Amino acid sequence: MAAAAAAARGAGARAAAAALRGGCETAARGRSRAASARPLCTAPGTAPGMKHYLWERYREAKRSTDELVPSIMSNLLNPDAIFSNNEMSLSDIEIYGFDYDYTLVFYSKHLHTLIFNAARDLLINEHRYPVQIRKYEYDPNFAIRGLHYDVQRAVLMKIDAFHYIQLGTVYRGLSVVPDEEVIEMYEGSHVPLEQMSDFYGKSSHGNTMKQFMDIFSLPEMTLLSCVNEYFLKNNIDYEPVHLYKDVKDAIRDVHIKGIMYRAIEADIDKYVCYAEQTRAVLAKLADHGKKMFLITNSPSSFVDKGMRYIVGKDWRDLFDVVIVQAEKPNFFNDKRRPFRKVNEKGVLLWDKIHKLQKGQIYKQGNLYEFLKLTGWRGSKVLYFGDHIYSDLADLTLKHGWRTGAIIPELRSELKIMNTEQYVQTMTWLQTLTGLLEQMQVHRDAESQLVLQEWKKERKEMREMTKGFFNAQFGSLFRTDQNPTYFLRRLSRFADIYMASLSCLLNYDVSHTFYPRRTPLQHELPAWAAQPPFSRLPLLQEAQAK
């Protein structure tokens, strides 16, 4: 995702440099050699001259930005591309593994409304919450994935890769918490490591933060915020820890009590997005002799009905191994649970499993037994899933499998980033930031007034860019200037990432993915520029095909 915005950032730096060069040339005329030898570009004369000088540099930078935007617009990234964090060749992959929900199958917007409503009703009927909370409805535009929730303070927030809170994205209930209050609450904007969520994003063992990484967690975050809002608006004293646990249990019960599964099976046309390309991907891999397996936490009958719908009644013929109710991430770590075979009627058999057979369905088990029975080890295996922790983390850290993350939000974010409004705004934002960095050496009062105006404009533009993606929390992948904590984990645990499995159809089964080199802070920005022969996943090229 950082690469997707690199063009705008690089262009902004070039525009600022061009304006600075122009200013240096202007300032140099009529000055002595000694004056022109100052380490940074400064302007001569009195404060009134400085004001004119600074605004002239500003206008030059604006013109440079306007000239750069058309070239950026001709090199937009393809939303259907696959992006690489780590070099990987598909020619080395012999076995492909898949999660089910939000990997092989995608759901319509109606599903999150169903989960929200069912969990809300469970709070009322089983946890004795006020019936008045039924007035709250699910808002699909409120939350984004990857947010952190402070269980004890009952606030939802976005945190960057360095554990800093993005001010303006902290919500108590449905209302933003003022920056001053956030800073007082956390004695700054940094969250110490011991308060952050644990390895799997959970709040446990003293961690006060919970990170919501699952796509299914969007209704949970919204329900938490709505109930918090009701209690706050009605001056009801409550314990935030109890509220968090009750909402978590209600959301869990929607799954484990079968409420969600029964609703989807009863009206599959409403809830499942029919993806004919899922079968095309699986068929392509099968035609090239690749082995395939499925490991999901969903139950057997639910998976069978969904796969029949999106792939066909013969879907099991495409998979060498099918495992349901695996209870990931425990599946990857707990060596004690044996596999059980599930017959055609869904009945669990008591036979000891000596081999995982094609066409059969197995329940539970563990990865260590899976590796023993299949021999599928190391970097010849590529596993796809949507949950960074439960699906991918253990596989790459402990078992050396290659991993692919399915990030549905990526496609919509790239489409926004490909708009001229976004490119124009981001390029100018980077240019203005460069000007501020260079011109801050001017400490006279009038210069400082100009710089304050620029800082105000920069702050307003940052808020605008946040609103392009989500009015409350902005992009899934970036805070104002840093990667989000979500992107940090994505970069660590996923070799490649894409919006959907259908993106694989755009690549040969021997394709090698090369991560693009992005400059470190101490490297020349020019190093990030792609040479003419570089294979960028460009939108223009895809459209031409």
Side-chain angles (χ1 to χ4, degrees):
M1 200 63 187
R9 293 199 304 276
R14 291 194 297 275
L20 185 61
R21 285 195 301 272
C24 287
E25 291 164 3
T26 301
R29 286 193 289 268
R31 282 188 284 171
S32 67
R33 181 180 300 274
S36 64
R38 281 178 283 189
L40 288 175
C41 176
T42 58
T46 61
M50 286 304 308
K51 179 179 179 181
H52 173 78
Y53 167 78
L54 290 173
W55 282 114
E56 187 58 34
R57 301 292 73 72
Y58 177 95
R59 286 187 286 271
E60 288 178 11
K62 269 281 192 184
R63 288 191 293 270
S64 297
T65 299
D66 292 340
E67 292 170 359
L68 286 167
V69 167
S71 66
I72 300 173
M73 292 300 297
S74 65
N75 289 282
L76 301 177
L77 289 175
N78 182 4
D80 293 317
I82 294 176
F83 300 91
S84 174
N85 292 320
N86 196 13
E87 185 173 327
M88 185 186 75
S89 177
L90 294 181
S91 62
D92 296 330
I93 306 301
E94 300 174 13
I95 304 122
Y96 286 76
F98 306 92
D99 181 32
Y100 177 69
D101 297 300
Y102 288 107
T103 299
L104 290 173
V105 63
F106 283 82
Y107 298 103
S108 71
K109 60 183 180 181
H110 302 293
L111 181 58
H112 286 172
T113 300
L114 165 71
I115 295 171
F116 178 93
N117 291 343
R120 180 198 60 199
D121 292 346
L122 285 172
L123 286 178
I124 295 170
N125 298 329
E126 297 189 9
H127 297 271
R128 305 199 177 262
Y129 275 67
V131 69
Q132 289 84 357
I133 67 171
R134 191 170 274 126
K135 70 179 181 181
Y136 291 100
E137 297 181 352
Y138 179 65
D139 179 3
N141 299 314
F142 176 68
I144 61 172
R145 256 205 301 173
L147 299 178
H148 281 79
Y149 183 77
D150 190 321
V151 174
Q152 296 180 344
R153 295 184 173 97
V155 289
L156 188 66
M157 69 191 76
K158 184 174 168 185
I159 295 178
D160 73 11
F162 304 98
H163 296 192
Y164 281 91
I165 301 166
Q166 181 179 357
L167 297 177
T169 69
V170 181
Y171 276 74
R172 182 182 290 114
L174 302 176
S175 302
V176 67
V177 180
D179 294 349
E180 299 78 13
E181 186 177 342
V182 174
I183 292 170
E184 181 180 357
M185 204 185 315
Y186 291 96
E187 298 180 352
S189 59
H190 183 264
V191 180
L193 178 63
E194 62 269 17
Q195 293 181 25
M196 291 292 288
S197 52
D198 68 9
F199 181 79
Y200 295 106
K202 299 178 181 179
S203 59
S204 59
H205 308 295
N207 306 101
T208 60
M209 294 282 188
K210 153 75 176 180
Q211 189 182 19
F212 291 102
M213 296 293 276
D214 193 354
I215 298 176
F216 283 127
S217 67
L218 291 170
E220 183 175 357
M221 285 185 276
T222 307
L223 183 58
L224 262 173
S225 298
C226 287
V227 181
N228 271 314
E229 180 77 3
Y230 175 79
F231 286 154
L232 292 168
K233 291 295 185 184
N234 291 277
N235 297 314
I236 298 174
D237 190 26
Y238 70 103
E239 173 53 62
V241 175
H242 297 333
L243 170 60
Y244 167 75
K245 183 180 183 302
D246 290 345
V247 171
K248 182 181 72 172
D249 290 347
I251 292 288
R252 179 203 62 198
D253 287 347
V254 172
H255 291 265
I256 67 171
K257 291 185 175 180
I259 298 171
M260 183 189 80
Y261 300 129
R262 288 192 298 271
I264 294 174
E265 289 186 50
D267 198 350
I268 199 165
D269 291 310
K270 178 180 178 180
Y271 293 109
V272 173
C273 295
Y274 180 71
E276 59 185 20
Q277 289 181 314
T278 297
R279 183 179 180 91
V281 170
L282 299 176
K284 177 181 177 179
L285 296 176
D287 289 344
H288 285 84
K290 306 297 182 181
K291 295 184 180 296
M292 290 180 282
F293 64 92
L294 171 63
I295 301 178
T296 176
N297 288 348
S298 293
S300 175
S301 62
F302 176 73
V303 173
D304 182 62
K305 188 160 187 177
M307 291 297 286
R308 285 172 179 267
Y309 182 76
I310 64 172
V311 176
K313 62 182 181 180
D314 60 342
W315 70 271
R316 282 196 231 172
D317 295 340
L318 294 169
F319 290 90
D320 294 270
V321 178
V322 175
I323 300 168
V324 300
Q325 291 177 279
E327 297 182 20
K328 296 176 291 182
N330 291 335
F331 178 86
F332 301 126
N333 297 289
D334 190 346
K335 300 180 180 181
R336 297 168 298 177
R337 301 181 312 156
F339 286 105
R340 296 194 72 172
K341 187 183 292 186
V342 183
N343 70 12
E344 293 296 330
K345 296 182 179 180
V347 176
L348 292 173
L349 305 180
W350 46 262
D351 311 52
K352 184 175 179 62
I353 305 301
H354 297 281
K355 182 180 180 181
L356 298 176
Q357 298 176 318
K358 187 171 184 175
Q360 300 296 320
I361 294 180
Y362 300 90
K363 178 183 176 181
Q364 294 182 347
N366 65 83
L367 185 63
Y368 298 91
E369 189 70 12
F370 177 89
L371 297 175
K372 178 182 176 182
L373 294 173
T374 64
W376 295 345
R377 300 175 183 274
S379 58
K380 66 182 180 181
V381 184
L382 172 57
Y383 185 79
F384 291 96
D386 67 289
H387 198 301
I388 309 300
Y389 298 144
S390 296
D391 287 326
L392 308 180
D394 288 311
L395 292 177
T396 186
L397 291 178
K398 299 179 181 179
H399 303 286
W401 286 9
R402 309 310 296 264
T403 51
I406 305 300
I407 314 292
E409 301 94 335
L410 181 63
R411 183 175 282 115
S412 59
E413 290 219 7
L414 279 172
K415 288 180 178 178
I416 292 169
M417 294 170 66
N418 282 346
T419 62
E420 186 170 359
Q421 183 183 17
Y422 178 86
V423 170
Q424 178 80 45
T425 303
M426 183 55 65
T427 305
W428 174 236
L429 177 59
Q430 293 303 116
T431 302
L432 187 60
T433 301
L435 278 177
L436 279 165
E437 181 178 16
Q438 296 290 344
M439 299 302 176
Q440 64 182 318
V441 295
H442 305 299
R443 302 297 181 184
D444 60 277
E446 191 145 13
S447 294
Q448 287 299 306
L449 286 175
V450 174
L451 296 178
Q452 287 302 318
E453 288 190 49
W454 293 359
K455 288 179 180 179
K456 181 181 177 183
E457 180 182 358
R458 180 172 179 259
K459 183 177 180 180
E460 291 171 350
M461 292 178 67
R462 281 181 159 186
E463 190 65 25
M464 182 189 304
T465 56
K466 185 184 84 170
F468 285 149
F469 301 101
N470 176 280
Q472 293 73 232
F473 302 101
S475 167
L476 174 64
F477 304 97
R478 273 200 175 275
T479 58
D480 285 329
Q481 72 275 354
N482 292 327
T484 57
Y485 195 83
F486 176 91
L487 182 62
R488 173 185 172 182
R489 308 306 267 177
L490 172 65
S491 301
R492 178 64 183 89
F493 299 137
D495 291 298
I496 57 176
Y497 63 101
M498 65 208 76
S500 68
L501 280 178
S502 63
C503 298
L504 283 169
L505 296 173
N506 300 324
Y507 298 85
D508 185 82
V509 292
S510 297
H511 185 87
T512 298
F513 296 100
Y514 296 96
R516 288 189 295 283
R517 184 185 181 102
T518 54
L520 303 175
Q521 294 299 313
H522 62 273
E523 292 180 328
L524 292 172
W527 291 4
Q530 299 296 318
F533 50 81
S534 177
R535 299 295 297 167
L536 284 167
L538 298 179
L539 178 61
Q540 186 181 41
E541 179 181 309
Q543 291 173 335
K545 290 181 180 179

